[in-house]
Each structure stands twice: as C-alpha cells, then as structure tokens.
Amino acid sequence: MALIVQKYGGTSVGSPERIKNVARRVARWQGQGHQVVVVVSAMSGETNRLIALAKEVQANPEPRELDVMVSTGEQVTIALLTMALVDLGLKARSYTGGQVRILTDSAYTKARIVKIDEDKLRADLSDGYIIVVAGFQGEDEGGNITTLGRGGSDTTGVALAAALKADECQIYTDVDGVYTTDPRIVPEARRLNTITFEEMLEMASLGSKVLQIRSVEFAGKYRVKLRVLSSFEEEGAGTLITFEEDDKMEQATISGIAFNRDEAKITILGVPDRPGIAYQILGPVGDANIDVDMIVQNVGHDGLTDFSFTVHRNDYQKVLGILKPVAAHIKAREVQGGDKIAKVSIVGVGMRSHAGIASTAFRTLAEEGINIQMISTSEIKISVVIDEKYMELAVRVLHKAFGLDQPQ
Ligand code: ASP
Ligand code: MG
C-alpha cells in the first residue's frame, strides 16, 4: 500500500463529465489498496474569469480581497469532486487550504507555504477516506485567506506530498509528460521517461510551462518523488522527475530545448571601465524590484566598455526610464535596447561530462545564419539570446542537432 498525492489541473476538472472521470481514476487507485489525497485546481478559465471580474470593480484589485475571491474557484472543484466520489460509493471529504491548515506567510497573491498540519489528513486516511484538498490556497497566522501565485496548485500538491511523506506525487495535466521541447514548435518532440530535478528546474524557469517553478523547488528541497502524466489517457507512465543522475546514464547528453519570448535586452554603450560600474547600473534596477536575468560585460577598450543585460519584457520601458539618468551620471555614451528578442536554451546534466556541446550549438545556429546576441551558461545549460523572428527555427535545428528527435 502506498500513499499517493494526485493533483489535477484546470482542464482535467474543466466540466462535470471530466470531474466524474477524475473520480473514477481516483477510485481505481484507492481500489488497488492505496491511500489517496487529491489536490485540484479551479475549473479551466475560472481563475482568469474571477480576476477579470475583480478588475471590473477595482482596476488594481486589493490583494487581500482578490485572494478571498480567486480561492473560491478551487472551493467549487473540491466539493464537486468529493460529490462525484461519494456518488461512486466511496468515503471522501473535502478541505479548503485553511481547513487543512496550510499555513502561509501573508504575501497575498504570491504567498509561500510555511507549515502544514497533516494530523487531520492522516486520521482521515486511516479511516479510509479519500481526501480532496483545494490547491493554490492557504491561510496566514491571522486566518486570512492567501493564494500561492498562478499555477500554485502544483505547489500545494508537492507540499502535501512532502508533509505526508507520500510515496509519490502525481501531477495530472493535459499533456502526458515533459517533452524535449514544445511539440507545437517541433512535432518530433518526444516525451521524456525521466528528467532530473535540476533539469526540470531549468526547463520550468526557462519557460516550459508544465509545472509551477516553486513546486519543482519544493520537490527538490524535500526530495518528493514527482511524476507528470495525462489525465486524459488510461495508461502511460508520464515523466518521472528523478534525483539519481545514474538513471540518466543510458540517455542523451541533452534532455531538452527550452525557450522564452518574455525578455528584453538593454545595452549601455561606452561605459567608463572602472570599479563599481556594474553596481551603479544594476543597483537602481534592483531597487525598483526588477529581476535581471542574463548579464554580459565586454572586455574594456580604451577605458570604455559595453554592458548588457536582460529583464522581463513587461519591465523594459521602466528600466529604460531608470537608466537614462544613470547613464548620463556615469557618463556612458548611449543606452540601447530591444524587446524583439528570444532566449533559447539547451538543458542537460550530461553537459558536465561531455565536451563540445557549446560548439555544436553555435555551429548549428551559424549554419542557419542566426546571429547570437548574448550567451550565458551554467553547469547544465547554455542559453543564447537571438532575434525573436528566428526563435522557432533555432529551436527546431538545435532539437535535431542534439538528436532529440531520436528514440531514447
Ligand atoms: N487556479 C489557479 C490558477 O489558475 C491555480 C492553479 O491552477 O494551479 O493559476
Ligand atoms: Mg498548471
């Protein structure tokens, strides 16, 4: 007998019929002798609808009240799923985040889980109940309702699995696993049987939207065995996120190609090359609470250098505004920028032990005449910034160059 936490996303509970399907799947797992805790999202589109509704009343909705409101989406689905389970003759009970007591900090709309009281859940499980918990929500010390950020139900699932020391956390979604890249761009993309936690973290942070990044961080921290699989297929092992790099020995060096169109690039030309310059430029950006991603500084020339970095596209105009006076103050020549860029990244733990990955990538792009504007690397990732209009081409040729279209 195992203790399994299953999380079903919005499309998986998008209609009464689909909710009944989820109930049948949960029933099968319990019928095999497992204890099951189910976490659900709101029905697909519901969270967006609620946010839009709030904005019709208050352009910038009061965060506390927004959380009171959007958390209702999940409250509806826990009740419906529990009804469907009871209708199948099973013992089932629903809980909101606050009722479990998923304690969070008070950062409305992006709260972090601090602690979970799992005693009640354990007692229910021993009594033979299937437990259905609302994803995406918790409550703070003062009993205020909080939410965990968009996609936060994944994190609820993983956090409950960690608290209950579950044998596995299964994330059911509308895709059947994690792919080598987005199949909408590369039809030959393949489902990965396994991916390491580190790779998944890179893929998630680089814009592969299968899992909320916080849930992956959580799984890594508490070593939760995490599996992504489809709620629309009867069979299929999905993708297992592993910790053992040994599992990867038989596999390709590169696991996937991620991409991201959400960034913009800013370059300050002719910056005096002296200590403290990077701080003078990026300090004010950080003070404005703007995240900087890639940073590149050129080798100095005649006492001058060029300095480039990327930020989220939404912050682009704001950063330009911040930097104009800074550039004048430090006597830099010019501030330039562009928001028609894309970041393409090659991810794989095999990079640690294989040489020549970067040269293969750069040759592949060169053969297509794609100019690389910026490069950054980590132990298991190489990212390039290119013109947005070549993004899909770059993803396709890199996917092929690293043999990702070949069977594992
Ligand atoms: N319903 C929330 C959202 O749409 C949380 C989730 O689905 O994970 O972001
Ligand atoms: Mg999701």
Side-chain angles (χ1 to χ4, degrees), residues 63-348:
R64 182 185 181 279
E65 304 316 318
L66 191 60
D67 278 358
V68 169
M69 183 169 176
V70 295
S71 60
T72 61
E74 274 73 10
Q75 192 169 331
V76 170
T77 44
I78 55 171
L80 290 173
L81 178 58
T82 305
M83 291 172 196
L85 288 164
V86 170
D87 218 37
L88 294 175
L90 299 166
K91 287 168 80 176
R93 195 173 265 175
S94 72
Y95 291 106
T96 65
Q99 285 175 321
V100 169
R101 207 151 192 246
I102 296 177
L103 180 71
T104 71
D105 61 20
S106 304
Y108 298 118
T109 75
K110 49 179 185 295
R112 282 184 184 268
I113 297 175
V114 177
K115 190 170 166 289
I116 295 181
D117 291 337
E118 78 286 359
D119 295 351
K120 192 160 40 180
L121 304 188
R122 277 195 201 285
D124 281 350
L125 286 171
S126 311
D127 289 346
Y129 280 95
I130 293 167
I131 299 164
V132 183
V133 178
F136 178 54
Q137 55 178 266
E139 117 185 346
D140 72 1
E141 280 288 359
N144 299 294
I145 296 172
T146 56
T147 65
L148 308 178
R150 298 308 305 269
S153 296
D154 294 342
T155 301
T156 305
V158 175
L160 279 172
L164 291 162
K165 301 191 177 54
D167 295 284
E168 188 165 304
C169 179
Q170 304 174 338
I171 306 279
Y172 287 91
T173 173
D174 48 1
V175 294
D176 63 350
V178 179
Y179 274 67
T180 49
T181 195
D182 188 339
R184 282 169 300 191
I185 292 187
V186 185
E188 296 79 22
R190 283 181 307 102
R191 181 179 59 79
L192 295 160
N193 292 322
T194 64
I195 184 169
T196 70
F197 152 75
E198 279 176 288
E199 289 170 330
M200 191 62 223
L201 206 51
E202 292 286 1
M203 295 288 274
S205 65
L206 293 167
S208 157
K209 300 204 171 61
V210 189
L211 289 173
Q212 195 202 31
I213 183 139
R214 271 193 194 174
S215 73
V216 183
E217 288 167 358
F218 221 103
K221 192 162 162 200
Y222 296 98
R223 298 189 77 82
V224 173
K225 191 171 160 198
L226 193 59
R227 195 185 288 277
V228 175
L229 56 189
S230 165
S231 65
F232 298 117
E233 287 172 16
E234 289 307 315
E235 301 293 323
T239 301
L240 180 67
I241 296 154
T242 64
F243 296 93
E244 304 306 324
E245 299 203 352
D246 299 350
D247 292 356
K248 304 268 315 173
M249 291 233 294
E250 305 298 322
Q251 297 180 14
T253 325
I254 300 303
S255 288
I257 313 286
F259 53 84
N260 183 349
R261 290 177 227 254
D262 297 336
E263 291 193 24
K265 178 178 103 164
I266 287 132
T267 300
I268 309 187
L269 295 162
V271 177
D273 193 8
R274 56 165 197 260
I277 278 298
Y279 174 66
Q280 276 183 290
I281 295 170
L282 293 181
V285 177
D287 290 343
N289 248 323
I290 293 168
D291 281 334
V292 172
D293 181 24
M294 280 192 203
I295 304 172
V296 174
Q297 185 182 332
N298 277 348
V299 174
H301 228 304
D302 304 324
L304 295 177
T305 187
D306 301 333
F307 190 95
S308 302
F309 59 96
T310 63
V311 294
H312 195 281
R313 220 174 257 195
N314 293 345
D315 293 324
Y316 176 56
Q317 291 301 336
K318 198 165 161 195
V319 173
L320 284 181
I322 292 171
L323 285 185
K324 290 258 153 75
V326 172
H329 178 71
I330 61 177
K331 300 194 165 51
R333 192 171 75 236
E334 193 187 343
V335 181
Q336 284 182 352
D339 59 358
K340 299 276 178 289
I341 59 158
K343 183 167 78 172
V344 175
S345 307
I346 305 158
V347 177

